[in-house]
Amino acid sequence: MTNFTEVFQILNIMKRINILLVFFFGIAMISAQSSQSETEQTAVEPTAFPSFGMQIDETNVISAMEMSEKYSNMKIADTLKTKFVAKVAEVCQSKGCWMRLELQDGQETMVRFKDYGFFMPKDIKGKEVIVNGLAFVEEMSVKDQKHYAKDGGKSEAEIAKITALKKTLGFEADGVLLKE
């Protein structure tokens, strides 16, 4: 009888140990799952900037000042693949098919969109964008200057003052992020 009581007590103790082990194991699993989902959420959560054209990200972006310096070293017909951030100075009010971005010292670059493949909202003047694509320097014809002036909402008097070729800083964007 003593042996049966001792065996019963040992089994009872083992049963309690098993219950505690299951309890601690369950807590450990919940904790591991919680920290794993937090890690996944942090790693997967993308930046919430509206994207236009080709999907781009915020990595390897240079400033508008750095872009101005790059343009100053370029000649007509030079090109440079790059990505930079700048403030929108003007947007085509007809379709959103071009925009001008502010650079350093009052300079601006005229941004067009690759293959006329996407447009920008017309109300983004003053907002920052990240553009990815091809920078270039060109001479813009009088006809093109007048066309862009008209799209930009310039008066007939302002448009009439355009009479000569103009060296311009251009950019063909294949992707744009609108910072909000």
Side-chain angles (χ1 to χ4, degrees):
M1 195 116 153
T2 324
N3 280 346
F4 180 71
T5 306
E6 287 175 12
V7 168
F8 182 72
Q9 287 177 343
I10 291 172
L11 286 175
N12 204 10
I13 291 171
M14 289 176 68
K15 182 173 147 185
R16 288 181 186 165
I17 290 173
N18 283 339
I19 290 172
L20 284 173
L21 285 173
V22 168
F23 176 75
F24 287 124
F25 181 74
I27 288 177
M29 291 298 289
I30 290 170
S31 175
Q33 187 177 22
S34 173
S35 69
Q36 180 182 2
S37 84
E38 286 175 14
T39 303
E40 287 173 0
Q41 186 177 17
T42 306
V44 173
E45 195 170 311
T47 306
F49 297 144
S51 179
F52 300 86
M54 184 178 83
Q55 193 68 33
I56 64 171
D57 59 29
E58 298 174 82
T59 60
N60 303 319
V61 175
I62 63 172
S63 70
M65 184 169 63
E66 291 170 302
M67 192 62 223
S68 282
E69 291 169 11
K70 291 191 181 292
Y71 271 124
S72 70
N73 294 321
M74 295 173 70
K75 297 180 210 99
I76 292 175
D78 284 351
T79 60
L80 174 68
K81 180 87 172 131
T82 189
K83 184 179 354 176
F84 71 99
V85 62
K87 188 185 284 188
V88 177
E90 187 179 8
V91 179
C92 170
Q93 293 302 295
S94 176
K95 297 181 192 175
C97 58
W98 56 262
M99 62 184 169
R100 292 186 196 276
L101 301 182
E102 295 176 9
L103 299 173
Q104 181 178 314
D105 299 329
Q107 292 184 19
E108 293 181 343
T109 183
M110 173 67 130
V111 179
R112 297 176 206 117
F113 309 109
K114 185 171 180 148
D115 300 327
Y116 214 55
F118 59 97
F119 303 116
M120 296 301 294
K122 295 185 254 181
D123 63 348
I124 61 169
K125 182 177 179 176
K127 294 189 178 184
E128 279 195 332
V129 292
I130 295 173
V131 291
N132 185 78
L134 193 63
F136 56 92
V137 178
E138 68 178 346
E139 276 190 339
M140 188 180 292
S141 71
V142 171
K143 180 182 174 187
D144 285 347
Q145 289 178 66
K146 287 184 176 192
H147 170 81
Y148 292 125
K150 184 177 179 183
D151 281 355
K154 302 288 186 213
S155 70
E156 289 299 320
E158 290 173 298
I159 294 171
K161 291 180 184 176
I162 300 171
T163 59
L165 291 174
K166 180 181 174 185
K167 179 181 172 184
T168 61
L169 307 178
F171 196 89
E172 183 183 69
D174 53 21
V176 179
L177 284 179
L178 176 58
K179 296 180 95 177
E180 291 185 343

